[in-house]
Coordinates of all heavy atoms in Angstrom, one line a residue:
V292 N -11.8 -11.1 30.1 CA -12.6 -10.3 29.3 C -11.9 -10.1 27.9 O -10.9 -9.4 27.9 CB -12.9 -8.9 29.9 CG1 -13.8 -8.1 29.0 CG2 -13.5 -9.1 31.3
G293 N -12.4 -10.8 26.9 CA -11.8 -10.7 25.6 C -11.2 -12.0 25.2 O -10.4 -12.6 26.0
G294 N -11.7 -12.6 24.1 CA -11.3 -14.0 23.8 C -10.3 -14.1 22.6 O -10.3 -15.0 21.8
G295 N -9.4 -13.1 22.5 CA -8.3 -13.1 21.5 C -7.2 -14.0 21.9 O -7.3 -14.8 22.9
P296 N -6.1 -14.0 21.2 CA -4.9 -14.9 21.5 C -4.4 -14.6 22.9 O -3.9 -15.6 23.6 CB -3.9 -14.6 20.5 CG -4.3 -13.3 19.8 CD -5.8 -13.2 20.0
G297 N -4.6 -13.4 23.5 CA -4.2 -13.2 24.9 C -5.2 -13.8 25.8 O -4.8 -14.6 26.7
G298 N -6.4 -13.5 25.6 CA -7.5 -14.0 26.5 C -7.6 -15.5 26.5 O -7.6 -16.1 27.6
I315 N -15.2 -14.2 28.6 CA -16.3 -13.4 28.0 C -15.8 -12.7 26.7 O -14.8 -12.0 26.7 CB -16.7 -12.4 29.0 CG1 -17.0 -13.0 30.4 CG2 -17.9 -11.5 28.5 CD1 -17.0 -12.1 31.5
D316 N -16.6 -12.9 25.6 CA -16.3 -12.3 24.3 C -17.6 -12.2 23.5 O -18.4 -13.1 23.6 CB -15.2 -13.1 23.6 CG -14.7 -12.4 22.4 OD1 -15.4 -12.5 21.3 OD2 -13.7 -11.8 22.5
P317 N -17.7 -11.2 22.7 CA -19.0 -11.0 21.9 C -19.2 -12.1 20.8 O -20.3 -12.3 20.4 CB -18.8 -9.6 21.2 CG -17.6 -9.0 21.9 CD -16.8 -10.0 22.5
E318 N -18.1 -12.8 20.4 CA -18.2 -13.7 19.3 C -18.8 -15.1 19.8 O -18.7 -15.4 21.0 CB -16.9 -14.0 18.6 CG -16.3 -12.8 18.0 CD -16.9 -12.4 16.6 OE1 -17.7 -13.2 16.1 OE2 -16.6 -11.3 16.1
G322 N -11.3 -16.3 19.8 CA -10.5 -16.1 18.5 C -10.0 -14.6 18.5 O -8.9 -14.4 18.1
G323 N -10.9 -13.7 18.8 CA -10.5 -12.3 18.8 C -10.2 -11.8 17.4 O -10.5 -12.4 16.4
V324 N -9.6 -10.6 17.4 CA -9.2 -10.0 16.1 C -8.3 -10.9 15.3 O -8.4 -11.1 14.1 CB -8.4 -8.7 16.4 CG1 -7.8 -8.1 15.1 CG2 -9.4 -7.7 16.9
C325 N -7.3 -11.6 16.0 CA -6.3 -12.4 15.3 C -7.0 -13.5 14.4 O -6.7 -13.6 13.3 CB -5.4 -13.0 16.3 SG -4.2 -14.0 15.7
L326 N -7.9 -14.2 15.0 CA -8.5 -15.3 14.2 C -9.7 -14.8 13.3 O -9.8 -15.3 12.2 CB -9.0 -16.4 15.1 CG -7.9 -17.4 15.5 CD1 -7.0 -16.8 16.6 CD2 -8.4 -18.7 15.7
Y327 N -10.5 -13.9 13.8 CA -11.6 -13.5 13.0 C -11.3 -12.5 11.9 O -11.9 -12.5 10.8 CB -12.8 -12.9 13.9 CG -13.5 -14.0 14.6 CD1 -13.2 -14.3 16.0 CD2 -14.5 -14.7 14.0 CE1 -13.9 -15.3 16.6 CE2 -15.2 -15.7 14.6 CZ -14.9 -16.0 16.0 OH -15.6 -17.0 16.6
R328 N -10.4 -11.5 12.2 CA -10.3 -10.4 11.2 C -8.8 -9.8 11.3 O -8.6 -8.6 11.1 CB -11.3 -9.3 11.4 CG -11.5 -8.9 12.9 CD -12.7 -8.0 13.1 NE -12.7 -7.7 14.6 CZ -13.3 -8.5 15.5 NH1 -13.9 -9.6 15.1 NH2 -13.3 -8.2 16.8
G329 N -7.9 -10.7 11.5 CA -6.4 -10.3 11.6 C -5.5 -11.3 11.0 O -5.6 -11.7 9.8
C330 N -4.6 -11.8 11.9 CA -3.5 -12.7 11.5 C -4.0 -13.8 10.5 O -3.4 -14.0 9.5 CB -2.9 -13.4 12.7 SG -2.9 -12.5 14.2
I331 N -5.0 -14.5 10.9 CA -5.4 -15.8 10.2 C -6.0 -15.5 8.8 O -5.5 -16.0 7.8 CB -6.2 -16.7 11.1 CG1 -5.4 -17.1 12.4 CG2 -6.8 -17.9 10.3 CD1 -4.2 -18.0 12.0
S333 N -5.8 -12.9 7.0 CA -4.8 -12.2 6.2 C -3.8 -13.2 5.6 O -3.4 -13.2 4.4 CB -4.2 -11.0 6.9 OG -3.5 -11.5 8.0
K334 N -3.4 -14.2 6.5 CA -2.4 -15.1 6.0 C -3.0 -16.1 5.0 O -2.3 -16.6 4.1 CB -1.7 -15.8 7.2 CG -0.4 -15.2 7.7 CD -0.6 -14.0 8.5 CE -0.4 -12.7 7.9 NZ -0.6 -11.5 8.9
G395 N -20.8 -12.4 25.1 CA -21.3 -11.1 25.6 C -20.3 -10.0 25.7 O -19.1 -10.3 25.4
R396 N -20.7 -8.9 26.1 CA -19.8 -7.7 26.3 C -19.8 -7.3 27.7 O -20.8 -7.2 28.3 CB -20.3 -6.6 25.4 CG -19.3 -5.6 24.9 CD -19.8 -4.8 23.7 NE -19.2 -5.3 22.5 CZ -17.9 -5.2 22.1 NH1 -17.1 -4.5 22.9 NH2 -17.5 -5.6 21.0
A397 N -18.6 -7.1 28.3 CA -18.5 -6.9 29.7 C -18.2 -5.4 30.0 O -17.5 -4.8 29.3 CB -17.4 -7.8 30.4
G398 N -18.8 -4.9 31.1 CA -18.5 -3.6 31.7 C -18.3 -3.8 33.2 O -18.8 -4.8 33.7
A425 N -8.4 -8.4 28.4 CA -7.7 -8.7 27.1 C -8.6 -8.3 26.0 O -8.9 -9.0 25.1 CB -7.5 -10.2 27.0
T426 N -8.9 -7.0 26.0 CA -9.9 -6.4 25.1 C -9.3 -6.0 23.8 O -10.1 -5.5 22.9 CB -10.7 -5.2 25.8 OG1 -9.7 -4.3 26.3 CG2 -11.6 -5.7 26.9
G427 N -8.0 -6.1 23.6 CA -7.4 -5.9 22.3 C -7.5 -4.5 21.7 O -7.4 -3.5 22.5
S428 N -7.6 -4.4 20.4 CA -7.5 -3.1 19.7 C -8.4 -3.1 18.5 O -8.9 -4.1 18.1 CB -6.0 -2.8 19.3 OG -5.7 -3.8 18.4
S446 N -9.1 -2.6 7.7 CA -8.6 -3.9 7.5 C -9.7 -5.0 7.5 O -9.6 -5.9 6.7 CB -7.5 -4.2 8.5 OG -8.0 -4.1 9.8
L450 N -10.5 -7.5 4.4 CA -10.5 -9.0 4.5 C -11.9 -9.6 4.2 O -12.0 -10.8 3.9 CB -10.2 -9.4 6.0 CG -8.7 -9.2 6.4 CD1 -8.5 -9.3 7.9 CD2 -7.8 -10.1 5.6
Y466 N 2.7 -2.7 8.2 CA 2.6 -4.1 7.7 C 1.2 -4.5 7.3 O 1.1 -5.2 6.3 CB 3.2 -5.0 8.8 CG 2.2 -5.4 9.9 CD1 1.5 -6.6 9.8 CD2 2.1 -4.7 11.0 CE1 0.7 -7.0 10.8 CE2 1.3 -5.1 12.1 CZ 0.5 -6.2 11.9 OH -0.3 -6.6 12.9
I467 N 0.2 -3.9 7.9 CA -1.2 -4.3 7.6 C -1.5 -3.8 6.2 O -2.0 -4.6 5.3 CB -2.2 -3.9 8.6 CG1 -1.9 -4.6 9.9 CG2 -3.6 -4.1 8.2 CD1 -2.9 -4.2 11.1
E470 N 0.5 -5.9 3.6 CA 0.0 -7.3 3.4 C -1.3 -7.3 2.6 O -1.4 -8.0 1.7 CB -0.2 -7.9 4.8 CG 1.1 -8.3 5.5 CD 0.9 -9.0 6.8 OE1 -0.3 -9.4 7.2 OE2 1.9 -9.3 7.5
L471 N -2.2 -6.4 3.0 CA -3.5 -6.4 2.3 C -3.4 -5.8 0.9 O -4.0 -6.3 0.0 CB -4.6 -5.6 3.1 CG -4.9 -6.3 4.5 CD1 -5.8 -5.4 5.3 CD2 -5.5 -7.6 4.3
R555 N -3.4 1.0 15.0 CA -4.5 0.5 15.8 C -4.6 1.2 17.1 O -3.6 1.7 17.7 CB -4.3 -1.0 16.0 CG -4.3 -1.7 14.6 CD -4.3 -3.2 14.8 NE -5.5 -3.8 15.5 CZ -6.7 -4.0 15.0 NH1 -7.0 -3.7 13.7 NH2 -7.6 -4.5 15.7
N558 N -8.5 -1.0 22.9 CA -9.9 -0.9 23.4 C -9.9 -0.8 24.9 O -10.2 -1.7 25.6 CB -10.6 -2.3 23.0 CG -10.8 -2.4 21.6 OD1 -11.0 -1.4 20.8 ND2 -10.9 -3.6 21.1
I561 N -13.5 0.7 28.3 CA -14.4 -0.4 28.8 C -15.5 0.3 29.7 O -15.1 1.0 30.6 CB -13.6 -1.5 29.5 CG1 -12.6 -2.0 28.6 CG2 -14.5 -2.6 30.1 CD1 -11.4 -2.7 29.2
P562 N -16.8 0.1 29.5 CA -17.8 0.7 30.3 C -17.5 0.4 31.8 O -17.2 -0.7 32.2 CB -19.1 0.1 29.9 CG -18.8 -0.5 28.5 CD -17.4 -0.8 28.5
I593 N -3.6 -7.5 29.6 CA -2.6 -8.1 28.7 C -3.0 -7.7 27.2 O -4.1 -7.3 26.9 CB -2.6 -9.6 28.8 CG1 -4.0 -10.2 28.5 CG2 -2.1 -10.1 30.1 CD1 -4.0 -11.6 28.2
G594 N -2.0 -7.9 26.3 CA -2.2 -7.9 24.9 C -2.2 -6.5 24.4 O -1.6 -5.6 24.9
D595 N -2.9 -6.3 23.2 CA -2.9 -5.0 22.5 C -3.3 -3.8 23.5 O -2.9 -2.7 23.3 CB -3.9 -5.0 21.3 CG -3.3 -5.8 20.1 OD1 -2.2 -6.4 20.3 OD2 -3.9 -5.7 19.0
V596 N -4.2 -4.1 24.4 CA -4.8 -3.1 25.3 C -3.7 -2.5 26.2 O -3.9 -1.4 26.8 CB -6.0 -3.5 26.0 CG1 -5.8 -4.4 27.2 CG2 -6.9 -2.3 26.3
P600 N 4.7 -4.2 21.3 CA 4.2 -4.4 20.0 C 2.8 -5.0 20.0 O 2.6 -6.0 20.8 CB 5.2 -5.3 19.4 CG 5.8 -6.0 20.5 CD 5.8 -5.1 21.7
M601 N 1.9 -4.6 19.2 CA 0.5 -5.1 19.2 C 0.6 -6.4 18.3 O 0.3 -6.3 17.1 CB -0.5 -4.1 18.7 CG -0.7 -2.9 19.6 SD -2.3 -2.2 19.2 CE -2.0 -0.5 19.7
L602 N 1.0 -7.5 18.9 CA 1.1 -8.7 18.2 C 0.5 -9.9 19.0 O 0.6 -9.9 20.2 CB 2.6 -9.0 17.9 CG 3.3 -8.0 17.0 CD1 4.8 -8.2 16.9 CD2 2.7 -8.1 15.5
A603 N 0.0 -10.9 18.3 CA -0.7 -12.0 18.9 C 0.2 -12.7 19.9 O -0.2 -13.1 21.0 CB -1.2 -12.9 17.8
H604 N 1.5 -13.0 19.5 CA 2.3 -13.8 20.3 C 2.8 -13.1 21.6 O 3.0 -13.7 22.6 CB 3.5 -14.4 19.6 CG 4.1 -13.4 18.6 ND1 3.6 -13.1 17.4 CD2 5.2 -12.6 18.8 CE1 4.4 -12.2 16.8 NE2 5.4 -11.8 17.6
K605 N 2.8 -11.7 21.5 CA 3.1 -11.0 22.7 C 1.9 -11.1 23.7 O 2.1 -11.3 24.9 CB 3.4 -9.5 22.4 CG 3.9 -8.7 23.6 CD 3.4 -7.3 23.7 CE 2.0 -7.1 23.9 NZ 1.6 -5.8 24.5
A606 N 0.7 -11.0 23.1 CA -0.5 -11.1 23.9 C -0.6 -12.4 24.6 O -0.9 -12.5 25.8 CB -1.8 -10.9 23.0
V632 N 7.0 -10.0 12.4 CA 7.1 -10.5 11.0 C 6.1 -9.8 10.1 O 5.0 -9.5 10.5 CB 6.7 -12.0 11.0 CG1 6.8 -12.6 9.6 CG2 7.6 -12.8 12.0
F634 N 4.3 -10.4 6.7 CA 4.1 -11.6 5.8 C 3.9 -11.2 4.4 O 3.0 -11.8 3.7 CB 2.9 -12.4 6.4 CG 3.2 -13.0 7.7 CD1 3.0 -12.4 8.9 CD2 3.7 -14.4 7.7 CE1 3.3 -13.0 10.1 CE2 4.0 -15.0 8.9 CZ 3.8 -14.3 10.1
Ligands
FAD866 C1 -5.2 -7.4 9.4 C2 -4.4 -7.7 10.6 C3 -3.4 -8.7 10.5 C4 -2.7 -9.0 11.6 N1 -1.7 -9.9 11.4 C5 -1.0 -10.3 12.5 C6 0.1 -11.3 12.4 O1 0.3 -11.8 11.3 N2 0.8 -11.6 13.5 C7 0.5 -11.1 14.7 O2 1.1 -11.4 15.7 N3 -0.5 -10.1 14.9 C8 -1.2 -9.7 13.8 N4 -2.2 -8.8 14.0 C9 -2.4 -8.3 15.3 C10 -3.1 -9.2 16.2 O3 -4.4 -9.5 15.6 C11 -3.3 -8.6 17.6 O4 -2.1 -8.2 18.1 C12 -3.9 -9.6 18.5 O5 -5.2 -10.1 18.0 C13 -4.1 -9.0 19.9 O6 -4.6 -10.0 20.8 P1 -5.5 -9.6 22.0 O7 -5.7 -10.9 22.8 O8 -4.8 -8.5 22.8 O9 -6.8 -9.0 21.5 P2 -7.8 -9.2 20.3 O10 -7.4 -10.3 19.4 O11 -8.0 -7.8 19.7 O12 -9.1 -9.6 21.0 C14 -9.8 -8.8 21.8 C15 -11.2 -9.4 22.0 O13 -11.8 -8.7 23.1 C16 -13.2 -8.5 22.7 N5 -13.7 -7.4 23.6 C17 -13.4 -6.1 23.5 N6 -14.0 -5.4 24.5 C18 -14.7 -6.3 25.1 C19 -15.6 -6.2 26.2 N7 -15.9 -5.0 26.8 N8 -16.2 -7.3 26.7 C20 -16.0 -8.6 26.1 N9 -15.1 -8.7 25.0 C21 -14.5 -7.5 24.6 C22 -13.1 -8.1 21.2 O14 -14.3 -8.2 20.6 C23 -12.1 -9.2 20.8 O15 -12.7 -10.3 20.4 C24 -3.0 -8.4 12.9 C25 -4.0 -7.5 13.0 C26 -4.7 -7.2 11.9 C27 -5.9 -6.2 12.1

Side-chain angles (χ1 to χ4, degrees):
V292 180
I315 305 159
D316 190 277
E318 299 281 351
V324 168
C325 179
L326 275 84
Y327 283 100
R328 45 192 180 276
C330 328
I331 295 298
S333 61
K334 265 80 255 180
R396 205 162 258 289
T426 50
S428 64
S446 57
L450 289 167
Y466 84 93
I467 293 177
E470 288 185 5
L471 295 174
R555 298 189 57 83
N558 289 330
I561 302 161
I593 56 162
D595 283 9
V596 79
M601 293 203 208
L602 294 170
H604 41 279
K605 189 215 67 158
V632 181
F634 289 87

